[in-house]
Amino acid sequence: MPSLFESDTIMPTRLDARRNCWKNRSSLEKILILAIVLAIIVVIILGVLLSNKSDLRRTESSCNTTACLIEAGNIMQYVDSETDPCDDFYQFACGNFMKRAHGDDSFRFMDRMASKHKRQVLEVYSEPIVANEPAMVKTAKKLFQSCMDENNLESENLKSIKRAIASVGGWPVLDGDRWNETKFDWLQATYRLRKLGYHHSAFLDLTVEPNRDTHVLKVELPDVFDYSSHNFDKLDFMVETALAFGATNRDKITAEMQLVHNFLIDLQLQTHNNYGSGNSTQYTVAKYQQKYGVVDWLQFLNNLTNPVLTVRKNDTVIFPPAPTMKNWIGLITNTPKRTQANFLIWTVIEKILPYLPDKYQNYNVIWKKPQTLQETCLERIHDKFLPNPIDIMCDRRYLPLQKKRKVEELVSNIQAEFLSSLAGKPEKLQNMVKTMRLAIGQPDDYFSDEIFKKVAVDMIGSGDNSFISLMAQAIRNQRSMLYAKVGQKGGLYDEWYQKALISFIAYNREKNVLYLSSVFTQDEVFSTMRPEYMNYGSLGTTVGHQLSLITQEFGQSENMKCVIRAMRDYRVNLDMPEVNNIVQFSVGSTLAYSAYEKHFKEDQNMLIGLNFTPKQLFWLATTSILCEPVNPYHKFGVNGTLISAKISGFVRHHPNFANDFMCKPGSKMSAAVKCDLV
């Protein structure tokens, strides 16, 4: 998981046995071990704080709630009190953290937030199905729970797969001489597979493409290149898979799958030869039918888009050039039906292998990360729903309305502060800041059950509750959601898609939207129970960091030159993205600091047991999410010089940082000439 300060690492060639033991543990095992260790540390710290509370000179200005005790304990786990904050603020703010992390990336803040969110999602998936839950929540839970049922996973899945194969004419390598080619037609088989939810794009694919602010259907030749097959013998893999599915005569299977393999190579050659034949073009269905009518295109389109879309002959669709299509269909129709059928079913099997037990897929897997069955099932199914109903339920639980409104208030305050700082700047820039939208948790109202209607476009139960069958229903629904976009305005990558891509927080310039994932509104980042200086330091600075991206197209060259000159003191060379990141964090911390000062003029309660002022705690909260584990194999060395320089790069230029920590003029964290980075 990348940090907010992205950097590359050089992996060691050899690790000691203890390090291997840790690395080979699954993510959930690591999470549980770390959670227990951290909980013990926090309990010890809280015990010390509470036992000595008589010596802490508790006053009315001290916050002694449970939330504040936890925050105080967390701060003590990070801060290296032996370091002078005016000499090296990064070491001061993160030194104790780096000692505890021992270079383990799983200690990184972003990794811990992602792991915590994963636990929350798995918790909801694993809960019993409740009668009054939305139907799509029940569907997602049922799919997950069927994946977890290892006892029936293999036997029930194989039955479902074989029923699906039989319904499209069977798999010749399994049926042998019983296979009847008169019952097979590749187009009809394609239609049937689409209806069942299995892979149906072996010969032709139908996608959706944005075009002039709307969406249109696009007929494409499928991608027939297997980019992983250089790691293993593809033909041998095909034969072994057929045997695993019940075929018995290895010699006959090898001969048949050799023909399939040859056909695949012919398709790849045909694809290569088509590169120079022109681009796909828009035609009405009727016009393309006149140019190349071997396929009934209206029937083809409607069989794939049903039930969410009805295509008519005068509708516009993007088609490949007619000569390309003629050569492609010619290759297919001139191939014996038995080979067509073997190839078609092979592509179906190949797509579902990742959902089957290891013995069906180990052949072409070089390395698999250790993970629990829960993690495997989550990986298999979570992206099959967009929006994901379990994500929605998690957001309701962990980002309730009251908290969401407080986050919106924080962002609004920083947005207003940003706009105020842009006086005299181009009107276009100011308007972008004014009109920026915020999407927290989900792009839509996730407290209304209406949101689940966006998920269920084509969910028709088959009565088969095996994992593969339920997965096929979800995949069919997902494809139908894509076809339902046809005729709608907006880019193909709509807000639901954008939300799925955002792990934490990101600004989208094209849509002028700030996406804030619920992963990044965990209590460690924002809590209604802790002082606001902590919230503005962590979440507020990061929000400001993203808002600063709005200004990029208007130029920051002088700011960057100033940062580059300032970084010479640290003897590090920064590329432009790194320099830009420093500028962005400088803007972010300045906006968050100003917004906090403006809306919370009276200093809030200090954290019990700590001698830090609220403004000092603002800076500690800002830095805590950027602390990096010290990796001895890191290309920048064990002292973390680069990340330290980056943190110093924005704090030492802030007009208030030196005053907040009472740094003397000339100290390292008080730049003699401060870069104006806002």
Side-chain angles (χ1 to χ4, degrees):
M1 184 67 63
S3 64
L4 289 175
F5 277 142
E6 184 68 50
S7 61
D8 297 324
T9 57
I10 297 177
M11 295 301 295
T13 57
R14 188 174 182 179
L15 300 175
D16 58 51
R18 284 181 297 177
R19 192 172 183 86
N20 271 331
C21 178
W22 175 254
K23 290 292 184 183
N24 288 334
R25 293 187 181 276
S26 72
S27 297
L28 278 182
E29 287 175 323
K30 288 183 179 181
I31 293 165
L32 291 173
I33 293 170
L34 291 174
I36 292 171
V37 172
L38 291 175
I40 292 172
I41 293 173
V42 170
V43 168
I44 293 171
I45 292 172
L46 295 182
V48 172
L49 290 173
L50 291 173
S51 64
N52 296 325
K53 62 184 178 182
S54 59
D55 299 326
L56 295 176
R57 292 178 290 179
R58 285 175 60 191
T59 66
E60 293 182 358
S61 64
S62 296
C63 176
N64 52 27
T65 64
T66 301
C68 285
L69 286 169
I70 292 174
E71 289 297 333
N74 289 337
I75 292 293
M76 291 178 68
Q77 289 185 72
Y78 274 77
V79 170
D80 176 8
S81 57
E82 296 181 0
T83 299
D84 184 350
C86 297
D87 183 57
D88 186 345
F89 184 67
Y90 179 70
Q91 179 63 34
F92 171 75
C94 301
N96 205 25
F97 162 85
M98 290 187 287
K99 291 176 185 176
R100 292 186 301 106
H102 297 294
D104 188 339
D105 288 344
S106 61
F107 273 77
R108 184 181 287 123
F109 186 83
M110 296 304 178
D111 289 72
R112 289 192 288 112
M113 291 303 97
S115 296
K116 181 178 180 180
H117 181 68
K118 180 191 284 187
R119 293 198 306 273
Q120 293 168 345
V121 170
L122 285 172
E123 178 185 311
V124 178
Y125 267 120
S126 303
E127 291 172 350
I129 295 173
V130 181
N132 62 352
E133 283 182 319
M136 288 305 295
V137 175
K138 295 178 183 177
T139 299
K141 284 185 176 181
K142 187 186 296 184
L143 181 57
F144 180 80
Q145 291 166 15
S146 67
C147 178
M148 291 291 295
D149 186 3
E150 287 188 288
N151 292 331
N152 294 319
L153 191 60
E154 180 176 355
S155 60
E156 294 302 316
N157 282 343
L158 286 181
K159 289 178 184 177
S160 297
I161 295 167
K162 289 180 178 179
R163 279 196 296 268
I165 291 174
S167 72
V168 297
W171 193 6
V173 294
L174 292 189
D175 296 346
D177 294 337
R178 293 180 289 106
W179 187 78
N180 187 349
E181 77 167 38
T182 63
K183 295 182 178 180
F184 179 80
D185 177 87
W186 70 267
L187 277 169
Q188 294 301 319
T190 297
Y191 304 153
R192 178 63 180 164
L193 288 169
R194 156 66 178 137
K195 186 175 181 179
L196 291 173
Y198 287 85
H199 177 68
H200 60 277
S201 306
F203 296 115
L204 285 175
D205 197 9
L206 181 64
T207 61
V208 174
E209 187 169 289
N211 184 49
R212 297 175 185 170
D213 298 324
T214 187
H215 296 93
V216 295
L217 291 171
K218 182 178 183 180
V219 177
E220 290 185 312
L221 306 187
D223 184 356
V224 292
F225 291 97
D226 185 350
Y227 303 101
S228 65
S229 61
H230 66 279
N231 296 318
F232 59 92
D233 187 318
K234 180 78 171 185
L235 175 59
D236 202 21
F237 176 42
M238 293 168 140
V239 172
E240 294 298 329
T241 302
L243 288 169
F245 269 79
T248 56
N249 190 319
R250 178 181 288 273
D251 291 338
K252 285 187 176 181
I253 296 168
T254 302
E256 290 208 54
M257 297 313 282
Q258 180 68 66
L259 295 174
V260 172
H261 193 258
N262 292 343
F263 178 55
L264 174 61
I265 293 174
D266 288 341
L267 291 173
Q268 292 170 347
L269 289 173
Q270 186 64 56
T271 300
H272 179 76
N273 293 337
N274 287 334
Y275 283 149
S277 61
N279 298 322
S280 297
T281 309
Q282 288 190 49
Y283 296 92
T284 64
V285 179
K287 182 73 172 179
Y288 198 75
Q289 191 69 45
Q290 291 176 356
K291 292 179 71 68
Y292 187 66
V294 172
V295 173
D296 186 331
W297 292 110
L298 197 60
Q299 183 186 71
F300 173 81
L301 295 167
N302 280 308
N303 268 283
L304 296 191
T305 59
N306 183 62
V308 296
L309 180 68
T310 299
V311 183
R312 295 175 174 82
K313 63 180 182 179
N314 291 324
D315 289 342
T316 299
V317 175
I318 301 174
F319 286 99
T324 297
M325 185 62 74
K326 180 179 179 181
N327 293 335
W328 185 261
I329 300 297
L331 175 59
I332 296 171
T333 55
N334 289 329
T335 299
K337 280 192 173 185
R338 191 175 184 93
T339 302
Q340 290 179 19
N342 274 327
F343 174 75
L344 177 68
I345 302 304
W346 164 250
T347 64
V348 173
I349 297 297
E350 193 172 27
K351 291 293 183 182
I352 61 179
L353 282 177
Y355 307 129
L356 296 177
D358 286 347
K359 72 177 185 179
Y360 293 95
Q361 54 177 309
N362 276 344
Y363 195 84
N364 69 329
V365 176
I366 300 174
W367 176 83
K368 291 179 68 175
K369 62 181 178 182
Q371 57 183 14
T372 65
L373 180 59
Q374 272 195 330
E375 291 175 304
T376 299
C377 289
L378 181 65
E379 192 175 89
R380 286 172 173 174
I381 74 174
H382 198 64
D383 64 352
K384 299 301 182 290
F385 303 96
L386 190 63
N388 185 284
I390 301 301
D391 277 346
I392 294 170
M393 298 303 287
C394 275
D395 286 352
R396 289 182 177 185
R397 182 176 301 179
Y398 297 105
L399 185 55
L401 185 59
Q402 179 189 8
K403 183 174 183 178
K404 182 173 182 285
R405 286 175 174 167
K406 293 293 290 183
V407 173
E408 289 171 343
E409 179 184 303
L410 178 147
V411 175
S412 177
N413 290 342
I414 293 175
Q415 188 176 2
E417 201 64 32
F418 192 25
L419 189 60
S420 175
S421 73
L422 296 176
K425 299 293 183 181
E427 185 177 348
K428 180 182 177 182
L429 172 59
Q430 296 187 47
N431 285 335
M432 286 184 70
V433 177
K434 281 181 186 177
T435 58
M436 185 208 75
R437 293 186 296 114
L438 175 64
I440 303 178
Q442 303 289 337
D444 210 340
D445 180 10
Y446 57 89
F447 298 102
S448 168
D449 283 352
E450 288 294 309
I451 194 172
F452 293 106
K453 294 181 180 179
K454 297 179 182 294
V455 195
V457 172
D458 184 21
M459 289 298 296
I460 303 173
S462 65
D464 183 347
N465 289 324
S466 70
F467 171 69
I468 286 294
S469 180
L470 292 171
M471 177 70 83
Q473 293 174 40
I475 292 173
R476 182 189 63 219
N477 180 69
Q478 193 176 49
R479 180 57 71 105
S480 292
M481 289 181 69
L482 179 66
Y483 295 148
K485 293 179 182 292
V486 172
Q488 296 180 9
K489 292 184 177 181
L492 177 62
Y493 304 118
D494 62 13
E495 292 192 357
W496 292 110
Y497 184 85
Q498 292 286 346
K499 188 267 176 191
L501 294 178
I502 304 306
S503 298
F504 301 106
I505 181 172
Y507 170 71
N508 182 294
R509 180 186 299 276
E510 180 186 355
K511 293 180 177 295
N512 198 24
V513 177
L514 179 67
Y515 293 97
L516 178 55
S517 167
S518 57
V519 181
F520 206 63
T521 58
Q522 302 275 4
D523 287 347
E524 291 85 347
V525 185
F526 183 95
S527 172
T528 57
M529 303 301 293
R530 71 178 188 173
E532 291 295 343
Y533 50 75
M534 300 296 293
N535 292 331
Y536 276 74
S538 52
L539 180 59
T541 294
T542 312
V543 168
H545 171 279
Q546 288 297 311
L547 293 185
S548 69
L549 296 173
I550 299 176
T551 66
Q552 280 191 347
E553 67 176 275
F554 297 91
Q556 293 177 322
S557 57
E558 291 304 316
N559 295 344
M560 291 184 176
K561 290 178 182 177
C562 182
V563 170
I564 292 171
R565 289 193 297 269
M567 286 298 100
R568 291 172 184 164
D569 296 342
Y570 292 88
R571 298 180 181 180
V572 294
N573 295 317
L574 302 178
D575 57 28
M576 290 314 293
E578 290 168 332
V579 173
N580 200 37
N581 214 357
I582 293 175
V583 173
Q584 290 165 21
F585 268 109
S586 177
V587 172
S589 60
T590 301
L591 295 178
Y593 190 99
S594 299
Y596 166 72
E597 274 195 316
K598 184 174 183 178
H599 294 279
F600 303 95
K601 293 181 180 178
E602 298 297 326
D603 278 351
Q604 296 188 336
N605 293 338
M606 297 170 61
L607 295 181
I608 187 170
L610 300 180
N611 292 321
F612 300 121
T613 67
K615 289 183 179 178
Q616 289 174 338
L617 287 166
F618 168 92
W619 291 109
L620 290 174
T622 295
T623 309
S624 66
I625 65 175
L626 303 175
C627 294
E628 288 284 328
V630 175
N631 188 336
Y633 300 100
H634 197 285
K635 70 178 181 179
F636 296 109
V638 296
N639 60 358
T641 302
L642 181 69
I643 187 68
S644 177
K646 287 179 176 180
I647 298 295
S648 302
F650 70 85
V651 300
R652 71 197 297 260
H653 291 284
H654 192 280
N656 297 101
F657 175 84
N659 291 333
D660 292 340
F661 281 91
M662 295 176 288
C663 298
K664 296 179 181 179
S667 63
K668 290 184 179 180
M669 294 299 105
S670 179
V673 178
K674 298 187 186 299
C675 299
D676 182 11
L677 300 179
V678 180

